[in-house]
Amino acid sequence: MSERKWIGFDLGGTKMLCAVFDEKMRDLGRERKKTKGFLGPDAGIERIIKCIYEAVENSGVPLSEIAGIGIGCPGPIQPKKGILLEAPNLGWKNVAVAERLNKEFKKPVMVINDVDAGVYGEYLFGAGQGAESLLGVFPGTGIGGGFVQNGVIFQGAKISCMEIGHIPTVPDGPIASAGLPGSLEAVASRLAMSALIAQASYRGQAPTIAESAGTDLANIRSGLLAEALKKEEPMVVEIMSRAVTQLGRSIAGFVHMLAPERIVLGGGLVEAMPDFFSKKIKEGMKQWLLPAYRDASEVVVAKLGDDAGIRGAAAWVRKNIESEPGTSN
């Protein structure tokens, strides 16, 4: 009997990535496309289907050997029904992802939040290996979170959770994408930092930013922030230090609640400035942690990059099928 193969899919705001894995989670072939979320969910699902077919073709594996499809989606999802409830960056709502893919491929489909998929990937194959529990924090345009305990992704009965970017942080503070004033992502996301740094650029206080991006938020990306930080431009250092230290204080709250053995920091922003983020987050955590909790959690940087999501999604569908043979969404 042929060995089973698994599909891992990461649906992002700007790109989608799909890969086919064998039982040992070795990559057999992959495909990447632009998401083009502005075309709407129906067109988006068709692009997902096409991307899966092309990844399977690239792998050289017959579709009959595919045992399941795991897909990470950006935003809250309904785990049992496989519904993407809302994807703010795509403008999609109530998309029956599992039903549509199951109908097309006649395979079991598991839908999870994209950050959950990434944290699960790091737990099994990356920086979380060997830990009993892993808290993932991924700052970017927003701030995503995920938690894995004893090999199980922490989810609600009716909806995914760990949306740490939306926890209240500063009373009546600035407003972020969800419209919640003073949320963590309103003060500590890349977008929040970039907005303040754009103002500094306008005032002539961030020359590296001014030279390369001016005040255009779309061009104040992780690499450029890292360059300005390396040059120790005072206002950039101050803005980013305040934001990342606050992120550390908020993470301390989750340590009090969950006591994770390990905390993994991920995303492009962290990848561009790993030492800075590790240092400032630890400083913020130390300020807020009760003494008994100060050595409870180790802070590490993610290892897998873009592969965390696809490997985590594939491993999650494999785990669910192996634990409940014959079931699918």
Side-chain angles (χ1 to χ4, degrees), residues 27 40 92 94 106 108 118 127 132 145 163 169 175 218 228 252 275 281 291 327:
D27 189 337
W92 300 0
N94 298 316
K106 307 297 188 294
E132 179 180 294
E163 293 283 351
T169 303
I175 296 174
D275 294 339
I281 281 175
T327 63

Side-chain angles (χ1 to χ4, degrees), residues 197 200-201 204-214 219-220 223-233 236:
I197 290 169
S201 175
Q205 297 171 316
T208 297
I209 307 296
E211 181 181 350
S212 298
N219 290 322
I220 303 178
L224 185 57
L225 292 174
E227 184 182 345
L229 195 65
K230 187 175 181 179
K231 292 179 179 178
E232 298 183 348
E233 295 183 3
V236 174

Side-chain angles (χ1 to χ4, degrees), residues 200-274:
S201 175
Y202 179 82
R203 295 191 298 263
Q205 297 171 316
T208 297
I209 307 296
E211 181 181 350
S212 298
T215 58
D216 186 352
L217 276 179
N219 290 322
I220 303 178
R221 310 295 296 176
S222 301
L224 185 57
L225 292 174
E227 184 182 345
L229 195 65
K230 187 175 181 179
K231 292 179 179 178
E232 298 183 348
E233 295 183 3
M235 188 58 68
V236 174
V237 173
E238 174 69 14
I239 289 169
M240 294 191 65
S241 295
R242 283 175 175 268
V244 182
T245 302
Q246 177 56 59
L247 180 57
R249 294 191 196 103
S250 296
I251 290 172
F254 285 92
V255 172
H256 290 145
M257 190 186 327
L258 301 169
E261 181 178 348
R262 203 169 295 166
I263 298 165
V264 60
L265 310 174
L269 197 58
V270 173
E271 289 173 11
M273 298 162 272

Side-chain angles (χ1 to χ4, degrees), residues 40 58 138-139:
N58 293 341
F138 290 66

Side-chain angles (χ1 to χ4, degrees), residues 115 119 134-138 144-148 162 164 262-265:
V115 179
V119 176
L134 182 69
L135 171 67
V137 180
F138 290 66
F147 183 63
V148 179
M162 296 302 295
I164 71 172
R262 203 169 295 166
I263 298 165
V264 60
L265 310 174

